[in-house]
Every structure is written in structure tokens, then in C-alpha cells.
Amino acid sequence: MLPAGSCDAHCHVFGPAARFPFAPSRTYTPIDAPKETLFALHRHLGIERSVLVQASCHGTDNRAMLDAIAAAGGRYRGVAMVERDVTEEDLQALHEGGVRGVRFNFVAHLGAPADLAAIRAIVAKVIPLGWHAVVHFDAHRLEELAPFLKTLDLPMVVDHMGRIDASAGVDQPAFRLLLDLMEDERFWVKVCGSERVSRTGPPFHDAARYGQLLVESFPSRVLWGTDWPHPNIKENMPDDGALVDLLQIIAPKPAQLQALLVDNPTRLYWS
């Protein structure tokens, strides 16, 4: 059983496309994954709160996410994607709609990487709102990105354990760089995406061990999420209940689970 107030800090809503069309520039077209289905999943899993992360298939049109947040009655928050020329009024409207962060992609299959100058301009606009940045990158990009990320004066959350290769061991350069980055207290990391970094397949225990190391090392700056509905997974589509079961490996102690699922997301998204 999950602790009261548990939060799925990384999931998505897609469409329905008839109401919230996908971006013309998208690199993939998901099937509809509407808020009603997500709400039902969370009830089934015993998850009370959530953070919706804007995915690239919707681009900077955050309406589907905002619609879901509004329907959740304060139990959901959001991480948006915005253009460089976003206005203060636009950002204030997003904030009032429950958004608390902005996401930047550096993953090859999702399109061109975020422009660094644009990131600086956007960050300068969101800092007064108390937002954070979420960065999603291919593991090999961290070496070049880390010096830049350290120049940004706001909290930053790394998606999916930095998309490391779970077969490469804890001494692989990408994981060592992630650990080094996490020594800076501005950085947080999501210990989810086990199905993405695993190389052995279900039940993804090879990946969960990395999550366990991150929880042990940085207990107050870790988050977890289902990543529902798991976009771009071509094989070994995970069962969300099985991903919850991985928490027995990732955060085996009650205090760790409480921090991971309740205390940490509360501090970042509801304070």
C-alpha cells in the first residue's frame, strides 16, 4: 500500500485529438490517452496526486494538460513547454492553471534539441514565479550539457535517471556524471523510466537498482512517476502496477518511500 498523499510525479495526457490536436511538428503520434483514463489508473493504484508533464507530441500547446489539472481539483500540477517569446501574462496564466515548471528536451528521437539561448531567456522569465526546469536528455549528452545546466539559477529536475544504460554498471560515465551533478543541491532526479533504461526487460530490476542508489544518496531530491501512457515504448510495454511494485527495490524503507512519494513532491509542487 502506498502512503497517503502519494504523487505520480511524471505522467502525461494525450488528446483526445479531436479536442486537443497534436502538434504539426511532432515526431510521433500517440493514441488518445485522456484525463479520465489517467484518473481511473490513479484510483486503481492508490495514487492521490500527480504532476502532468507536457510531451513533445503536443508541443507548446498546453491545453490538454491544463484541462486535466483543472478537472483534478487541486490534486494535480503541471510542467509546461513554452516558446522563447512567451509573455509574462502567458506564464502567469499557466501558473494559475497549476503549472510549476518548464521542460526542455535533448532526446534525439523527439526532434531538434532545445536551443540554449532560448533556455536562458525562458528561465529568466520563470524564476520570478518560483518554477523549476525539467531536463530530458540522452545519456551521452550529459557531459556537454552539465556545465551549461550548472549556470542556470533555479532548481532542475533530471528525467528518467538521465536515461542511463542499466547494463553498463554504476561506473559508466553517464551515471558518474549524474551523481556529480546531483551533488549540487539545485538538482533533483526522477527515479522512474525503468522500462526505458533497462536492458534485461521485465521486471526491470536491473534499472531499479540505479533508482535505489539515487534514493539512498539523495533522499530529499528524488521523485518518482509512472510515465503513463509510456510514449515511444516499442516493446516490453510496462504494467503500471508492476512499476509500483518496483518501489520495493527503489525505496525499500518506509521513510524513503514517504519522502519519494509524498514529502519531496509536496515541497516542489505544492509549497
Side-chain angles (χ1 to χ4, degrees):
M1 181 178 294
L2 300 181
S6 287
C7 178
D8 177 351
H10 189 107
C11 55
H12 313 280
V13 287
F14 297 147
R19 183 180 178 195
F20 302 113
F22 299 117
S25 60
R26 66 190 180 277
T27 59
Y28 67 97
T29 302
I31 62 172
D32 284 350
K35 62 181 184 293
E36 294 84 2
T37 308
L38 180 60
F39 293 170
L41 173 68
H42 284 159
R43 287 194 299 270
H44 174 70
L45 296 176
I47 290 171
E48 299 176 29
R49 300 180 299 165
S50 180
V51 179
L52 296 174
V53 177
Q54 180 76 352
S56 65
C57 62
H58 273 298
T60 57
D61 181 353
N62 297 284
R63 289 179 299 157
M65 177 185 66
L66 291 170
D67 175 71
I69 294 172
R75 296 181 297 110
Y76 282 34
R77 290 286 191 257
V79 174
M81 293 178 67
V82 300
E83 301 284 359
R84 178 176 183 164
D85 60 357
V86 65
T87 67
E88 291 183 6
E89 291 77 16
D90 292 336
L91 292 172
Q92 185 60 42
L94 288 171
H95 188 84
E96 291 172 2
V99 170
R100 295 296 182 268
V102 62
R103 192 188 199 199
F104 303 110
N105 273 315
F106 298 90
V107 175
H109 70 256
L110 297 178
D115 177 77
L116 301 189
I119 290 176
R120 287 194 188 279
I122 292 168
V123 162
K125 295 177 183 179
V126 305
I127 285 176
L129 293 168
W131 288 13
H132 61 276
V134 174
V135 286
H136 185 206
F137 51 76
D138 291 315
H140 71 273
R141 305 247 4 214
L142 183 54
E143 183 173 9
E144 62 179 284
L145 281 175
F148 169 76
L149 295 176
K150 290 179 179 179
T151 68
L152 303 177
D153 192 21
L154 82 173
M156 279 162 280
V157 181
V158 175
D159 272 345
H160 302 321
M161 297 185 280
R163 298 184 72 104
I164 50 95
D165 178 346
S167 71
V170 296
D171 289 325
Q172 64 179 288
F175 191 62
R176 303 311 302 180
L177 283 167
L178 177 60
L179 293 177
D180 178 69
L181 198 66
M182 288 296 296
E183 292 297 332
D184 184 326
E185 293 193 353
R186 289 174 297 171
F187 286 88
W188 298 54
V189 63
K190 293 176 187 171
V191 292
C192 57
S194 290
E195 72 278 14
R196 297 186 183 279
V197 307
S198 173
R199 296 299 181 269
T200 61
F204 311 121
H205 286 178
D206 59 329
R209 301 297 181 187
Y210 290 88
Q212 182 183 47
L213 285 170
L214 290 165
V215 166
E216 290 176 349
S217 300
F218 310 101
S220 65
R221 289 181 283 119
V222 286
L223 301 166
W224 173 88
T226 60
D227 196 25
W228 186 88
H230 314 286
N232 291 303
I233 295 291
K234 301 297 191 295
E235 57 184 25
N236 295 326
M237 179 63 72
D239 174 89
D240 292 284
L243 294 180
V244 171
D245 290 342
L246 282 183
L247 290 169
Q248 298 174 56
I249 296 173
I250 295 170
K253 299 175 183 177
Q256 293 175 331
L257 195 64
Q258 174 73 22
L260 179 63
L261 298 185
V262 183
D263 299 342
N264 295 349
T266 296
R267 207 164 74 251
L268 194 59
Y269 288 98
W270 280 273
S271 296

